[in-house]
């Protein structure tokens, strides 16, 4: 994916969507079908995603943020409840809990991230210390597509079972909390569709999972997202699915498709709820992306292996996407420049941009952001998050990169960064 803006100058965008003729044709077919909002294509995508993720049900929505928020609402989490979230993530992980009225408690990451895969992952001792009788959920984030250590999280919530008070703010939420009877484990899988750990797909690991299909993600529907969950004994998945439908469509007892049936004009409003459904135009993109997804994951892996070889040669710390424990979805390539601070890192990013290599930073920790500072959080209390962030650069990693583009990134990165080592 090279745009020649000036003679001899390659510009490599950070993360353009990979849309083939197949997606375009399916969108056109949806537009011509007479059904453009939530309908048969959305339902088909939900079924195929559930098969892919090895879960009973998937609900397609308009974003991961909506999916995570509805996961909280389904579990009856709201005012008076606490939700534990890593300080090192995108805002949506925390803001979805805030939308429900819950209080977010940030936890720092492990120093230099997970010792094996280097993912900026929560410090689990700190997670354990943060649990109180008000804690209803812990949200782990599979940053860059690497699945967090849910074995550890489940062990912690089991150990703290005696502190858990099951008292959701809805009948369904109360029943879910009573049945699970420990702090709920949520997976923010915005980056990790298709990743697996110890033979399990993301989606069948945590209690509730949300995915993002935003334009920059591996798998896109332009905007979009989905929720899934593990079966909960004694609670019918159809009841849970129906509640997601209500929450995502104004609390309306019949969706637009159901209302087209003869004589079926009448509906009820069961709650003054939200509007975050997926349309069939979005689902049309997703259906054809899913056909191609395995190939997209393999191409990502090939690019990652190339970048790994470069970083290893230069002594640059990088994520290990593929380990004995698990296969990442290969969403982001995080590289950390040894000895660099924020000033040097910014200089490198600018110099790479001048050479046509667009990079990024994932993430500036949330306690550095205005909204969270105003809530009283201070980055000084999250030294490992700051340390991880200050020398981090995210390289372009996407399936529109040709081999020549990857060569270009490698040569420019090597050329610029070697001056700082
Ligand atoms: C870790 C994480 N969680 C949640 C989201 C929110 O996704 P969406 O834009 O689909 O709401 C993102 C988006 O980039 C993300 O990176």
């Amino acid at each position: 994916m090279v745009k020649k803006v000036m003679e001899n100058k390659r510009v490599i965008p950070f993360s353009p969507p990979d849309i083939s003729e197949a997606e375009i044709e399916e969108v056109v077919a949806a537009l011509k079908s007479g059904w453009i909002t939530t309908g048969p294509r959305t339902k088909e995508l939900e079924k195929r995603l559930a098969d892919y993720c090895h879960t009973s049900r998937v609900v397609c929505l308009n974003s991961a943020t909506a999916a995570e928020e509805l996961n909280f609402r389904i579990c009856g989490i709201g005012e008076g409840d606490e939700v534990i979230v890593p300080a090192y993530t995108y805002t949506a992980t925390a803001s979805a809990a805030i939308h429900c009225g819950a209080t977010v408690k940030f936890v720092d990451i492990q120093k230099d991230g997970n010792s094996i895969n280097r993912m900026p992952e929560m410090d689990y001792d700190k997670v354990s210390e943060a649990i109180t009788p008000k804690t209803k959920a812990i949200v782990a984030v599979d940053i860059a597509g690497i699945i967090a250590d849910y074995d550890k999280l489940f062990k912690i919530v089991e150990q703290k079972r005696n502190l858990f008070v099951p008292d959701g703010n809805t009948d369904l939420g109360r029943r879910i909390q009573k049945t699970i009877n420990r702090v709920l484990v949520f997976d923010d899988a915005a980056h990790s569709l298709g990743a697996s750990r110890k033979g399990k797909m993301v989606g069948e690991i945590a209690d509730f999972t949300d995915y993002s299909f935003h334009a920059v993600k591996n798998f896109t529907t332009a905007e979009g997202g989905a929720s899934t969950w593990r079966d909960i004994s004694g609670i019918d998945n159809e009841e849970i699915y129906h509640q997601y439908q209500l929450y995502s469509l104004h609390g309306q007892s019949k969706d637009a498709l159901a209302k087209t049936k003869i004589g079926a004009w009448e509906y009820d409003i069961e709650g003054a709820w939200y509007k975050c459904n997926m349309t069939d135009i979005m689902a049309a993109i997703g259906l054809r992306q899913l056909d191609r997804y395995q190939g997209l994951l393999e191409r990502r892996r090939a690019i990652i292996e190339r970048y790994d070889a470069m970083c290893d040669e230069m002594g640059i710390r990088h994520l290990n996407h593929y380990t004995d424990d698990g296969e990442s979805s290969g969403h982001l390539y995080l590289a950390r420049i040894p000895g660099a601070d924020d000033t040097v890192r910014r200089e490198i990013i600018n110099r790479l941009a001048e050479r046509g290599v667009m990079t990024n930073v994932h993430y500036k920790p949330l306690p550095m952001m205005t909204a969270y500072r105003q809530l009283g959080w201070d980055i000084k209390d999250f030294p490992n998050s700051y340390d991880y962030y200050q020398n981090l650069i995210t390289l372009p990693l996407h399936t529109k990169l040709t081999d020549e583009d990857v060569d270009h990134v490698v040569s420019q990165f090597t050329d610029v960064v070697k001056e700082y080592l």
Side-chain angles (χ1 to χ4, degrees), residues 106-132:
F106 286 128
V107 165
D108 202 2
I109 59 166
Q110 299 162 37
K111 174 104 181 103
D112 292 320
N114 179 297
S115 60
I116 295 166
N117 58 41
R118 307 280 183 214
M119 199 263 269
E121 185 169 4
M122 280 188 288
D123 177 332
Y124 292 110
D125 292 334
K126 294 212 165 79
V127 170
S128 181
E129 285 162 20
I131 295 176
T132 74

Side-chain angles (χ1 to χ4, degrees), residues 33-328:
S33 73
W35 199 269
I36 56 175
T37 186
T38 314
R41 284 182 170 80
T42 306
K43 300 298 162 192
E44 188 188 340
L45 183 60
E46 288 178 343
K47 282 205 179 72
R48 286 188 55 196
L49 284 170
D51 285 347
Y52 182 61
C53 301
H54 301 171
T55 59
S56 301
R57 280 296 213 164
V58 161
V59 181
C60 283
L61 297 162
N62 70 1
S63 67
T65 312
E68 191 188 327
E69 179 177 330
L70 293 199
N71 289 350
F72 288 127
R73 294 193 186 279
I74 287 284
C75 296
I77 294 171
E79 231 166 281
D81 296 332
E82 290 175 359
V83 173
I84 296 172
V85 171
Y88 203 100
T89 183
Y90 184 63
T91 180
T93 317
S95 61
I98 293 170
H99 298 167
C100 301
T103 300
V104 163
K105 273 179 104 170
F106 286 128
V107 165
D108 202 2
I109 59 166
Q110 299 162 37
K111 174 104 181 103
D112 292 320
N114 179 297
S115 60
I116 295 166
N117 58 41
R118 307 280 183 214
M119 199 263 269
E121 185 169 4
M122 280 188 288
D123 177 332
Y124 292 110
D125 292 334
K126 294 212 165 79
V127 170
S128 181
E129 285 162 20
I131 295 176
T132 74
K134 289 184 174 175
T135 309
K136 283 292 152 63
I138 301 168
V139 189
V141 187
D142 303 335
I143 289 185
I146 298 175
I147 303 185
D149 191 345
Y150 293 90
D151 292 342
K152 267 199 187 128
L153 273 178
F154 279 116
K155 205 164 150 199
I156 291 167
V157 295
E158 283 300 339
Q159 282 164 351
K160 297 272 174 162
R161 197 185 267 277
N162 59 332
L163 284 183
F164 186 67
V165 184
D167 61 358
N169 61 13
T170 60
D171 170 56
L172 176 61
R174 264 188 302 279
R175 282 185 285 126
I176 290 174
Q177 291 193 22
K178 280 203 173 112
T179 308
I180 294 182
N181 198 27
R182 52 156 172 75
V183 171
L184 299 165
V185 175
F186 279 44
D187 180 355
D188 180 340
H191 301 179
S192 61
L193 180 76
S196 60
R197 189 164 192 272
K198 297 182 180 167
K200 282 192 177 171
M201 295 295 281
V202 64
E204 58 176 331
I205 301 173
D207 295 317
F208 284 80
T209 296
D210 64 272
Y211 305 100
S212 175
F213 308 148
H214 177 264
V216 299
K217 298 299 189 290
N218 291 15
F219 172 99
T220 188
T221 56
E223 294 286 351
S227 287
T228 196
W229 61 94
R230 292 196 310 179
D231 295 350
I232 304 166
S233 97
I235 303 185
D236 187 355
N237 280 324
E238 291 319 301
E239 181 187 0
I240 298 178
Y241 180 84
H242 181 64
Q243 192 60 44
Y244 276 102
Q245 299 304 298
L246 289 171
Y247 279 150
S248 66
L249 213 79
H250 304 291
Q252 189 175 298
S253 61
K254 282 180 195 162
D255 65 18
L257 197 61
K259 280 169 63 195
T260 59
K261 308 265 155 61
I262 293 168
W265 60 270
E266 192 174 11
Y267 60 86
D268 189 21
I269 296 295
E270 297 184 21
W273 290 323
Y274 320 100
K275 184 65 166 61
C276 50
N277 53 314
M278 178 177 276
T279 71
D280 266 22
I281 297 175
M282 298 152 85
I285 304 174
L287 284 170
R288 299 291 75 88
Q289 288 262 295
L290 199 49
D291 297 343
R292 301 170 56 225
Y293 196 47
Q294 195 49 41
L296 299 179
L297 291 179
E298 283 161 20
R299 176 63 185 153
R300 284 179 175 272
R301 185 172 186 146
I303 299 168
I304 287 171
E305 284 168 358
R306 189 75 212 290
Y307 286 166
D308 282 354
M310 169 189 76
C311 286
D312 289 341
E313 205 170 305
M314 296 175 78
I316 288 173
R317 200 170 260 195
H318 58 83
L319 296 180
N320 293 316
H321 280 275
Y322 310 99
T323 64
D324 291 343
D325 266 0
E327 283 206 7
S328 157

